[in-house]
Amino acid sequence: MPRIHCSVCGIASDQLAAPTVSPQFAPDLDTRPGEPLRSTLPAWMQLCPNCGYAAPDLAYAAELVPNWVRTSDYRSLTDAFERHAWLLEQLGYLADAGWITLQAAWNHEDGNDLDAARRCRRKAIRLFQASKAAGQDFLDTPAEELALAVDILRRIGEFEAAAETIRIALQEEELPEMLEAVLRFQTGLVQRRDTGRHTLDEVPRGPAGEKPVRLT
Ligand SMILES: [Zn+2]
């Protein structure tokens, strides 16, 4: 267990070592990696037991962070992922704040706090929308971004918004075959009002060896 000096208060504390494993199983449809990486989630975020600063690496803090960790808004958050996401939001890193808020949802789910998980997914959607409005992408392509949004919306039971997002995503030009298959799979889940966790290897693929015919 490495001993890390907090860059905000200077106190040293024992923190979980960063994971070195790679996922061996398929990710969830919201990109949460499969095992064995999946269950290393608590090691993705460090929390200083003295000043409450939360970051993937306590040894680094942006300039204004020491002021922000003293605020009541920051201190009202108890989850380390939510705390770090709040700091990223203040810094204007809205896409990163969205991702860490999604990780906060996973963390709450692991702790069986499903209300908090739902609240974080709702907040992640808002942050991703704000990031796009600010010109920040949160994934490589709009189709991938829409597919992630679909899963977040479905998991919080926003089925109409999920269905509408699927419709928009299916109109994307150059939609990769795999992503289209994911969106079709999501359509079925939305129709069944399924808010559960599903993985990429559940998505039906075409018959092995069959290649799509492109006439253009
Ligand atoms: Zn500290």
Side-chain angles (χ1 to χ4, degrees):
M1 206 178 249
R3 204 156 171 77
I4 311 282
H5 280 88
C6 174
S7 55
V8 170
C9 70
I11 297 291
S13 62
D14 292 331
Q15 299 290 336
L16 295 172
T20 53
V21 292
S22 301
Q24 306 291 320
F25 292 90
D28 294 359
L29 295 180
D30 69 359
T31 77
R32 182 170 181 180
E35 295 291 10
L37 184 56
R38 179 184 185 83
S39 54
T40 64
L41 186 69
W44 300 8
M45 195 61 66
Q46 301 176 349
L47 179 67
C48 175
N50 184 54
C51 71
Y53 175 44
D57 182 1
L58 292 180
Y60 171 79
E63 204 178 328
L64 289 170
V65 162
N67 297 329
W68 285 327
V69 300
R70 293 191 199 97
T71 62
S72 55
D73 280 356
Y74 179 83
R75 305 201 72 89
S76 70
L77 302 167
T78 51
D79 176 81
F81 289 90
E82 287 190 67
R83 282 189 165 190
H84 187 64
W86 187 87
L87 293 171
L88 290 172
E89 190 180 353
Q90 309 312 305
L91 287 161
Y93 298 129
L94 300 174
D96 292 338
W99 280 108
I100 300 296
T101 303
L102 182 58
Q103 293 178 6
W106 303 341
N107 196 39
H108 286 305
E109 227 156 44
D110 288 350
N112 269 324
D113 190 344
L114 301 186
D115 285 344
R118 256 191 303 275
R119 175 174 53 72
C120 286
R121 279 197 170 84
R122 200 162 277 130
K123 170 92 185 185
I125 283 282
R126 279 202 300 272
L127 285 165
F128 286 142
Q129 285 170 330
S131 81
K132 292 301 283 184
Q136 300 170 18
D137 296 333
F138 58 96
L139 277 168
D140 288 342
T141 66
E144 287 173 290
E145 291 176 332
L146 290 165
L148 174 61
V150 165
D151 197 66
I152 297 174
L153 290 166
R154 181 184 64 78
R155 294 294 307 273
I156 56 176
E158 296 283 348
F159 298 116
E160 274 178 38
E164 177 64 10
T165 308
I166 291 170
R167 199 185 59 76
I168 294 166
L170 286 172
Q171 291 169 351
E172 279 293 317
E173 283 174 30
E174 294 177 34
L175 184 65
E177 213 179 322
M178 184 61 217
L179 221 44
E180 186 176 342
V182 167
L183 292 166
R184 305 269 178 221
F185 181 67
Q186 289 277 16
T187 300
L189 297 176
V190 167
Q191 282 168 352
R192 290 194 292 279
R193 299 292 188 257
D194 183 336
T195 58
R197 169 199 167 211
H198 291 278
T199 59
L200 199 57
D201 58 8
E202 293 176 58
V203 176
R205 327 264 168 114
E210 185 179 281
K211 291 273 181 292
V213 177
R214 301 232 184 274
L215 299 175
T216 52

